[in-house]
Amino acid sequence: MSEKGKVGNIVRVQVDGLVALKIIKHCQEEGSSTEMINGFLVGLVVKDTVEITDCFPVPAAEEDTESYQMDMLRNLRKVNVDYHTVGWYQSTYLHNHINKEFLENHRKYQEVNEESIVLVYDPLRTTQGIFSLRAFRLTPLILDMLLTNFNFTPESVQGSELYHMDLFDELPVFVRDSRLQNVLLSELEQKMTLSPNSSDFLSLATNNVLVCNLQLLMGGVDLLYQDTNRLVSYEKNMAKQMQIKQQFVQKRHEENLRRKTRGEPLLPESEDIVEKELNLKPPIAPPRLDSLLLKQQVESHCDQAQKFASQGISKLYLAEAFQR
């Protein structure tokens, strides 16, 4: 993720424990292994922190989400609950949320409220014992481009020095619990008993999440290879057309020199007229925004594979120590 600067002054996100439980509950009730759920976040912005105090889901059958959101915010205001929208949340399955729709949805939020954030919850990692709740925002660079309808052609992207790590800023997330909740969790932890299968975390078998990440990583690399071939083909066609134009202009210039000595009218040499006479159709430029998102997704798969692989290596070293 980009570290070139945060949008506004927000540097951290604080989530109430009840909000985290609501998101998990919503995902368990309505989401599936691959189906994504989403909802709205409400709270406050205090100095450099976005404090998320409540949330409410978007029902799967709801079509007019904007009217539904306004009705819910009015109801929250009536009962004297925080009703200021500070973003939205979404679940993900092996980082399949990184796409154009995700980018465009958050662009709308940050266009209205600069401090808006999006929480991404990963239920698959949570089932592996690692609670995964991450906060993202668009970087100033990509936000300005989206707001100005920037044309993501190869030439314009290269000139803007936009890279895949410049799409999102990730903010640290802190879960806040009340003192009573902490006391309750401590008592529950003391009363917990180990089940017969409680030693599964010591299993040396390869994690299924690691296997899935590696499979998606290979698929992403293959798509990047195809995209690179399209880009190379586009550049070859552009170079070929430029060579044809230069040869035509050179011949036209020589012809005009001969016409000038004979006193005949000169032929036009402007680029527009040359293209019209040659009847050259410019090659279709491959969209670079899709490529940037794909690179971001591949990098996410690499990070996840590295984390799960490091866990497996740690278990192997632990097992080796026991054998000695």
Side-chain angles (χ1 to χ4, degrees), residues 46-228:
V46 181
K47 295 182 180 179
D48 60 352
T49 304
V50 176
E51 296 185 1
I52 302 172
T53 58
D54 202 356
C55 68
F56 55 92
V58 176
E62 186 64 41
E63 295 183 357
D64 191 357
T65 57
E66 187 173 350
S67 299
Y68 173 78
Q69 179 187 10
M70 297 307 298
D71 291 339
M72 287 295 297
L73 293 176
R74 279 193 294 266
N75 293 332
L76 291 175
R77 185 175 183 179
K78 289 179 182 179
V79 296
N80 198 26
V81 177
D82 292 335
Y83 60 91
H84 178 61
T85 303
V86 293
W88 59 298
Y89 69 85
Q90 178 177 307
S91 65
T92 183
Y93 177 76
L94 296 174
H95 302 278
N96 63 346
H97 67 282
I98 304 177
N99 50 41
K100 271 188 175 181
E101 183 180 1
F102 179 80
L103 198 72
E104 183 62 23
N105 284 342
H106 197 60
R107 192 271 304 169
K108 295 177 182 178
Y109 279 90
Q110 281 195 230
E111 184 179 6
V112 176
N113 182 11
E114 189 181 11
E115 290 83 13
S116 294
I117 59 99
V118 53
L119 288 180
V120 178
Y121 169 66
D122 190 344
L124 187 60
R125 289 201 66 195
T126 303
T127 58
Q128 301 294 323
I130 306 173
F131 178 61
S132 178
L133 190 65
R134 306 169 68 187
F136 297 99
R137 306 179 67 202
L138 298 180
T139 62
L141 180 60
I142 188 63
L143 181 61
D144 291 340
M145 289 180 174
L146 294 175
L147 293 178
T148 56
N149 295 322
F150 184 80
N151 189 15
F152 291 90
T153 61
E155 295 79 11
S156 59
V157 171
Q158 184 178 5
S160 64
E161 297 184 353
L162 176 67
Y163 303 97
H164 68 278
M165 68 281 295
D166 300 325
L167 298 179
F168 301 102
D169 277 326
E170 182 173 3
L171 305 176
V173 177
F174 300 90
V175 179
R176 184 188 66 177
D177 292 323
S178 66
R179 292 183 175 87
L180 291 176
Q181 288 174 329
N182 289 330
V183 171
L184 176 61
L185 291 174
S186 299
E187 291 182 356
L188 292 176
E189 185 178 7
Q190 293 176 359
K191 295 178 181 179
M192 287 178 61
T193 58
L194 294 177
S195 64
N197 298 324
S198 60
S199 60
D200 289 345
F201 67 95
L202 292 176
S203 173
L204 300 180
T206 304
N207 198 302
N208 290 331
V209 179
L210 175 60
V211 175
C212 293
N213 271 291
L214 291 177
Q215 290 174 346
L216 292 173
L217 176 60
M218 290 187 292
V221 171
D222 185 53
L223 292 175
L224 281 177
Y225 176 73
Q226 297 176 16
D227 181 76
T228 302

